Amino acid sequence: MIADRFAFLSKEMNFPGMEFKIKEANGQLIIFDSLRKKYLVLTPEEWVRQHMIAFLVQFKNYPKTLFSLEKGLQYNKLLKRSDILVLNRNGNPFLLIECKAPDIVLSSKTLEQVCVYNKSIQAPHLGITNGLNHLFFSFDEQSSNYLQIPDVPKFM
């Protein structure tokens, strides 16, 4: 049943109220991605990704034109895809975010995943989210480590 497969839609996300274009097509729910200008299959992870994108654009003033979604990268001969990469105004990586489904607990393994992706991307800020919890980190030059920060990094 469609209702059972989309129970994640009834979970209260930890974002301000936002509206999305969702419709049914061929027995699936699809959501309009305002950045890619097309409908995508609505999975739990896509639900979180669309919330995070809308939050960054609508509430944190991140420019839509500087997002790169599901960017392919290679790590140890494996092809991977990052969820959200935001570039700075010079076109360099600024913020890399890994999105998980709401029922996935954020853990050190989740953070490790985004750090592995960042070895080739080299963003100074990282984030992980499951839509309920959001953790952000910034590179600290003194310690050469990523340190947790209280909120989304301010876009400059």
Side-chain angles (χ1 to χ4, degrees):
M1 296 191 118
I2 282 190
D4 294 338
R5 289 190 329 208
F6 297 100
F8 64 88
L9 291 173
S10 64
K11 277 196 176 182
E12 185 78 26
M13 301 293 272
N14 186 11
F15 289 103
M18 294 180 268
E19 303 231 350
F20 298 94
K21 294 180 188 175
I22 299 173
K23 63 184 183 179
E24 188 177 346
N26 301 321
Q28 298 186 95
L29 288 182
I30 55 177
I31 186 168
F32 186 73
D33 182 322
S34 65
L35 298 180
R36 292 180 267 192
K37 306 274 191 248
K38 66 180 183 177
Y39 279 90
L40 304 169
V41 174
L42 183 55
T43 64
E45 185 177 301
E46 190 62 45
W47 186 232
V48 172
R49 182 177 16 252
Q50 291 302 318
H51 273 81
M52 180 55 74
I53 292 165
F55 175 71
L56 292 173
V57 171
Q58 294 174 27
F59 295 91
K60 294 297 183 175
N61 298 316
Y62 277 55
K64 276 185 171 186
T65 57
L66 297 178
F67 280 75
S68 177
L69 305 179
E70 296 190 298
K71 181 175 175 54
L73 58 100
Q74 189 168 348
Y75 181 76
N76 285 345
K77 298 184 181 179
L78 297 174
L79 294 177
K80 301 286 185 180
R81 288 185 185 274
S82 62
D83 287 325
I84 300 172
L85 174 62
V86 182
L87 305 174
N88 65 21
R89 296 194 190 282
N90 296 325
N92 297 317
F94 175 73
L95 172 62
L96 177 64
I97 302 174
E98 180 62 26
C99 300
K100 296 296 182 188
D103 63 336
I104 302 295
V105 175
L106 299 182
S107 65
S108 58
K109 187 173 182 171
T110 314
L111 180 57
E112 185 178 309
Q113 181 181 1
V114 76
C115 287
V116 164
Y117 292 173
N118 200 43
K119 286 183 181 185
S120 62
I121 292 174
Q122 302 282 302
H125 307 286
L126 303 176
I128 56 176
T129 182
N130 62 6
L132 307 172
N133 299 297
H134 323 289
L135 300 173
F136 292 94
F137 305 84
S138 288
F139 189 73
D140 177 61
E141 301 216 2
Q142 276 190 315
S143 67
S144 294
N145 287 312
Y146 281 88
L147 303 178
Q148 189 170 351
I149 57 176
D151 196 7
V152 177
K154 182 171 175 50
F155 188 83
M156 310 240 202

